[in-house]
Amino acid sequence: MNNIGLLARIEAKPEYADSVARMLTEAVRLAEEEKRTVTWFAFREDTTTFGVFDTFENDEDRTAHLRGRIAAALMGAADTMLASAPDIRPVDLLAVKLP
């Protein structure tokens, strides 16, 4: 079971909300290239609040993801498009249901 994850909360500046949504939508291509990322989800909570949830086999894979292209793109957008720095938290999954 892949029981290591990351949960990121992203708050966009109102005038950049559509740009952040587009960036996250397009980031799935980068996630697909990451062989160490088991699952990757980008979501929208409301007009300006977004999130990403992903899972990994181990801590090494999670750390590699944090040093990857998606994290770099997100941090690159932080000063311009985000209301605050992304809130990225490691999580340990207790239970999982997948198809």
Side-chain angles (χ1 to χ4, degrees):
M1 177 174 94
N2 48 319
N3 59 355
I4 305 292
L6 284 172
L7 180 62
R9 186 172 182 277
I10 302 158
E11 187 67 33
K13 293 177 182 175
E15 63 272 24
Y16 288 103
D18 290 340
S19 296
V20 171
R22 189 170 33 263
M23 179 180 67
L24 291 173
T25 300
E26 293 171 358
V28 73
R29 289 187 214 125
L30 298 175
E32 289 169 347
E33 294 174 6
E34 291 185 352
K35 301 303 178 203
R36 300 169 103 181
T37 300
V38 178
T39 61
W40 189 88
F41 303 88
F43 57 90
R44 186 177 212 157
E45 290 182 32
D46 59 38
T47 306
T48 59
T49 308
F50 300 87
V52 174
F53 173 72
D54 33 23
T55 64
F56 312 90
E57 291 291 332
N58 53 54
D59 281 320
E60 181 181 295
D61 294 350
R62 176 167 55 189
T63 299
H65 175 73
L66 287 170
R67 294 182 181 143
R69 292 170 59 197
I70 296 172
L74 189 56
M75 293 311 201
D79 288 341
T80 304
M81 296 193 293
L82 305 184
S84 59
D87 179 12
I88 302 172
R89 299 174 186 221
V91 296
D92 294 327
L93 304 179
L94 302 176
V96 175
K97 180 197 178 287
L98 295 172

